[in-house]
Amino acid sequence: MELNNDQNNLSPSSSTTSTPSAFRPIATVAAATTTTTTTTDPMQSWWESVSKARARILSLSSLLPSDPSSSFSLSSLADSDRPALSFLSSFEAYTLFSSALSSPSSGSGSDPLCQWLYETYLSSDPHLRLIVLAFLPLLLGLYLSRIHSSETTSTPSLAGFEAVLLAIYSSEAKSRAGKPVLVQVPDLSQPSLYHSPRNKQNSHGLNSSKQSVGVLSPPLEPQIAVKSTKRPVIVGVTLDCYFKQISQMPSWSKVELCKYASDWAGQDCACKDKFDVDKEIAIENGNGRSGGYFLEDRNLSNGYGNNGHEIDDVVEEMEKLGIERDVTVDSESRGVRIPLPWEILQPLLRILGHCLLGPMNPEDVKDASSVAVRRLYARGSHDLAPQVLLATRSLIQLDKRSREAAKAAAAAANANTPSKAKKPEVLLVSK
């Protein structure tokens, strides 16, 4: 498939109804993703899946630059028993792919890496699809940052990025079959959730009497191009697809998304440290540097010092004015501040909630999500978005409680650890 649409001369933010050549095969995504191999031999089906994954990984080796000083090679991943999962868990493969995808000339309609991601997602192998979803944070970060960057004089051609996003969106639209995603809202007139009467269920599987239904996502319309008015919906659906498979995503992919979410929220300001001024919890931003200022003197922070009330007044006035300060300077920051409508924020907050509270997540994922949630809270404070404030404040409180509980458990474990018995002193006495 050729993803070149330079002849159409269309920018990604164009709202025209013409169809670039890069998106004409998108209409066949649903049919391509539903085809499965019908075989009665499980061994043959497994071997076909392994062969397909090996072919895809080996085809990628010709697109990525090779490092003569490194012993790593994609062929070693292709020769494993599970090539796709081996590629997914390899940090070296991620570094090699991300450096190539982050080049200034990437994302165009003729980008071979975008074409590889597009064709890989069209395969029926679920493990190969996981590879594409794992690189979705990087792809979205580059795509949204370049579109909303104020430094670029003209919007570059990002048809390759958009083709991958439309492939994921079209597949999800086909699986939903034109139905919205609903959620059952509890009846607040009852004393508790367990006092609700058991009544017959309607066609949606919900109780018919006093039933309140919330719409998480409306029915998805078919899209053949990423128009500026439809971009938030398409990006939000791709993030929702990422959230559905987040338990299988590697830690580097989650950290990538948390870092871009922090950059999308905007520059640091005093609002993000509002809930941490009286605690001694240091939250790292994933690079070994503190993500904010935390007062260690509780007497000053609580107003018990000689000038405690004056300090509290100054802090309160600073928060009201929203004075921005550059707390940390992340040299690896590649994202920019972008518009964050609810279509993007809703799945993004669900992802950050998993990264923040997932018991199996490593500390770097939890730390990066802590910084992202606090910056989104600060963004919601400036934008006066009540939905964002409620969601981010709840996540911050849960994060603080989990960290305090972990700190208390560690202190109790150290207190219960028996100290090593000292050897008795032997005194030499001369006769």
Side-chain angles (χ1 to χ4, degrees), residues 414-429:
N414 294 333
N416 296 331
T417 302
S419 58
K420 186 177 181 180
K422 297 182 179 179
K423 296 182 179 179
E425 296 180 358
V426 179
L427 301 179
L428 300 178
V429 180

Side-chain angles (χ1 to χ4, degrees), residues 161-394:
F161 288 158
E162 293 178 344
V164 180
L165 298 179
L166 281 174
I168 301 175
Y169 175 87
S170 301
S171 177
E172 180 66 14
K174 178 64 177 180
S175 63
R176 294 187 186 182
K179 297 181 180 179
V181 179
L182 305 178
V183 61
Q184 179 179 356
V185 180
D187 187 2
L188 299 181
S189 63
Q190 300 294 331
S192 71
L193 300 177
Y194 305 100
H195 288 78
S196 300
R198 296 180 177 272
N199 299 322
K200 295 182 179 180
Q201 296 180 346
N202 53 21
S203 59
H204 297 290
L206 305 175
N207 294 335
S208 57
S209 64
K210 294 183 179 181
Q211 186 60 58
S212 179
V213 178
V215 179
L216 284 180
S217 178
L220 300 180
E221 301 176 355
Q223 302 293 334
I224 59 175
V226 183
K227 302 178 182 179
S228 58
T229 57
K230 298 298 182 180
R231 185 182 298 120
V233 177
I234 295 175
V235 172
V237 170
T238 58
L239 287 174
D240 186 66
C241 294
Y242 181 89
F243 176 73
K244 292 180 180 179
Q245 304 293 337
I246 195 170
S247 60
Q248 304 184 60
M249 292 293 106
S251 59
W252 51 260
S253 179
K254 300 176 185 178
V255 171
E256 190 85 48
L257 182 59
C258 294
K259 287 184 178 181
Y260 271 114
S262 301
D263 297 336
W264 295 340
Q267 189 178 4
D268 290 338
C269 69
C271 301
K272 80 178 188 66
D273 298 330
K274 180 179 180 180
F275 298 97
D276 300 311
V277 294
D278 59 342
K279 298 297 179 182
E280 298 177 1
I281 304 174
I283 299 175
E284 302 294 330
N285 65 356
N287 295 326
R289 293 186 294 271
S290 176
Y293 288 139
F294 301 90
L295 300 180
E296 296 183 358
D297 191 347
R298 296 193 179 189
N299 292 333
L300 290 179
S301 64
N302 291 329
Y304 294 126
N306 295 331
N307 299 323
H309 295 288
E310 289 81 2
I311 294 176
D312 287 342
D313 294 338
V314 173
V315 173
E316 183 177 358
E317 291 299 325
M318 289 178 63
E319 291 179 355
K320 289 181 179 179
L321 294 175
I323 299 177
E324 295 185 352
R325 57 180 175 174
D326 190 6
V327 179
T328 57
V329 179
D330 189 358
S331 60
E332 298 180 0
S333 177
R334 291 173 291 178
V336 297
R337 188 181 188 273
I338 66 172
L340 291 175
W342 186 241
E343 291 85 356
I344 297 179
L345 275 173
Q346 186 180 22
L348 183 61
L349 289 173
R350 288 202 294 266
I351 295 173
L352 293 178
H354 169 87
C355 296
L356 192 66
L357 305 174
M360 302 302 294
N361 288 328
E363 289 300 322
D364 58 342
V365 175
K366 295 181 180 180
D367 294 340
S369 58
S370 296
V371 177
V373 169
R374 283 162 172 79
R375 290 192 179 182
L376 287 175
Y377 173 81
R379 172 69 177 270
S381 300
H382 289 280
D383 294 345
L384 300 178
Q387 292 175 311
V388 181
L389 292 177
L390 288 174
T392 52
R393 183 170 181 172
S394 299

Side-chain angles (χ1 to χ4, degrees), residues 90-150:
S90 174
F91 183 76
E92 291 81 2
Y94 155 73
T95 305
L96 194 63
F97 194 97
S98 61
S99 61
L101 193 64
S102 302
S103 64
S105 60
S106 64
S108 62
S110 58
D111 188 357
L113 291 180
C114 293
Q115 182 175 347
W116 186 88
L117 290 172
Y118 179 90
E119 295 175 352
T120 301
Y121 196 81
L122 293 186
S123 65
S124 59
D125 187 73
H127 294 160
L128 288 176
R129 285 187 157 196
L130 290 178
I131 295 178
V132 181
L133 291 178
F135 285 104
L136 183 62
L138 177 62
L139 190 146
L140 281 177
L142 296 173
Y143 173 68
L144 295 176
S145 298
R146 292 180 184 179
I147 284 183
H148 299 287
S149 178
S150 58

Side-chain angles (χ1 to χ4, degrees), residues 47-62 77-79 83-84 116 119-120 128:
W47 178 250
E48 291 179 356
S49 177
V50 171
S51 301
K52 183 185 300 183
R54 286 180 178 177
R56 294 305 303 166
I57 295 176
L58 290 177
S59 65
L60 180 63
S61 60
S62 60
L77 301 178
D79 294 336
W116 186 88
E119 295 175 352
T120 301
L128 288 176

